[in-house]
Amino acid sequence: MIRIASLFFVVFGCPTLSLAQVNPSLIQAGIDAFNAYTLSDAQVADYSRQAVQQMDAKNSVAGPNDPYTQRLNTIVVRHHKVSGLPINYKVYKVADVNAFATADGSVRVFKGLMDVMTDNELLAIMGHEIGHVINHDSRDAMKSALKRSAVRNAVASNSGTLGKLSRSQLGGVADYMLGASFSRRQETEADDYSYDFLKRNGYNVMALATSFEKLAKLSGGGQGGRVAAIISTHPDSKSRADRVRDRARRDGLAR
Ligand SMILES: [Zn+2]
């Protein structure tokens, strides 16, 4: 997950309900009901889709004739299906250096990221984010987001199922989903997925290394607030870039 610290406020505004306002017995009922209820992958994808729809409604989405949309469409023209998963792409005309992908196959790329990355570097970053989806990291993060929302709002306490979520509940779910930080292993595997994606499609795999290096450099170059959290959710940019370079050298793809 690549994100910036201010995203929550950009997208969702302030949280309206805190744990302290929820009756503890309702919270326990929510936990019990949620734990008793098995979410299918299709249901998780559906909740992800709803959360992304809400984010799309709250952000400035670039229109079909917008130069940013046209550039993104050109970059992903061969990749509307990745590893069998249909992907829908949109640009948020937001200055933050950010991108994310969700379990339903939605990829959102921010204008700020497009302004600083080459086409290949954007593919490398989208490949990494899609890797989290294909590896089911995004699904698992969404499940835990739903669980936390169920706990916070006790939404599952009555019927033992998660029905249609209200706007504020969806906002809470999307917040937790975006705030999810993946383990080091998950990040390494998403890097590997992106590397393989670039390699099998004939792109320069070095773009994965240079995108990390660029993010690291940007964070130290005065754009602090806009990119700092990318580094905090993706630590060790330097060693990850080195790992990509090593692999490319072994594959004879370092150029
Ligand atoms: Zn990641």
Side-chain angles (χ1 to χ4, degrees), residues 1 128 132 187 234:
M1 176 70 66
H128 173 96
H132 281 308
E187 292 301 345
H234 287 89

Side-chain angles (χ1 to χ4, degrees), residues 120-171:
N120 270 7
E121 287 164 345
L122 286 170
L123 277 165
I125 289 170
M126 289 188 284
H128 173 96
E129 296 299 321
I130 291 169
H132 281 308
V133 176
I134 300 296
N135 294 340
H136 298 309
D137 303 337
S138 310
R139 177 197 67 189
D140 295 344
M142 186 61 181
K143 274 189 183 175
S144 94
L146 286 165
K147 181 170 182 174
R148 291 181 67 176
S149 178
V151 169
R152 195 177 73 157
N153 295 318
V155 292
S157 60
N158 294 327
S159 57
T161 60
L162 283 173
K164 190 146 177 63
L165 302 184
S166 72
R167 277 176 64 87
S168 72
Q169 286 162 347
L170 264 180

Side-chain angles (χ1 to χ4, degrees), residues 7-176:
L7 184 66
F8 176 84
F9 297 100
V10 171
V11 178
F12 302 111
C14 293
T16 52
L17 188 63
S18 72
L19 262 183
Q21 294 169 275
V22 178
N23 180 322
S25 66
L26 276 181
I27 294 173
Q28 189 55 48
I31 295 171
D32 294 346
F34 188 91
N35 286 340
Y37 182 61
T38 309
L39 280 169
S40 70
D41 288 359
Q43 285 170 309
V44 174
D46 187 52
Y47 284 118
S48 300
R49 197 171 298 114
Q50 289 180 47
V52 170
Q53 276 167 4
Q54 183 165 336
M55 291 190 60
D56 288 354
K58 289 191 173 183
N59 283 283
S60 171
V61 176
N65 298 320
D66 188 288
Y68 283 89
T69 302
Q70 290 178 346
R71 179 181 169 208
L72 188 68
N73 285 345
T74 304
I75 295 171
V76 302
V77 68
R78 293 159 55 203
H79 311 297
H80 288 286
K81 203 176 234 191
V82 179
S83 298
L85 178 75
I87 308 283
N88 73 86
Y89 299 89
K90 285 189 168 78
V91 178
Y92 286 168
K93 296 202 78 175
V94 173
D96 299 319
V97 179
N98 199 10
F100 66 88
T102 52
D104 61 304
S106 298
V107 171
R108 299 293 180 265
V109 184
F110 288 54
K111 173 183 175 295
L113 186 73
M114 295 186 71
D115 286 340
V116 295
M117 296 292 168
T118 65
D119 290 0
N120 270 7
E121 287 164 345
L122 286 170
L123 277 165
I125 289 170
M126 289 188 284
H128 173 96
E129 296 299 321
I130 291 169
H132 281 308
V133 176
I134 300 296
N135 294 340
H136 298 309
D137 303 337
S138 310
R139 177 197 67 189
D140 295 344
M142 186 61 181
K143 274 189 183 175
S144 94
L146 286 165
K147 181 170 182 174
R148 291 181 67 176
S149 178
V151 169
R152 195 177 73 157
N153 295 318
V155 292
S157 60
N158 294 327
S159 57
T161 60
L162 283 173
K164 190 146 177 63
L165 302 184
S166 72
R167 277 176 64 87
S168 72
Q169 286 162 347
L170 264 180
V173 166
D175 169 39
Y176 290 130

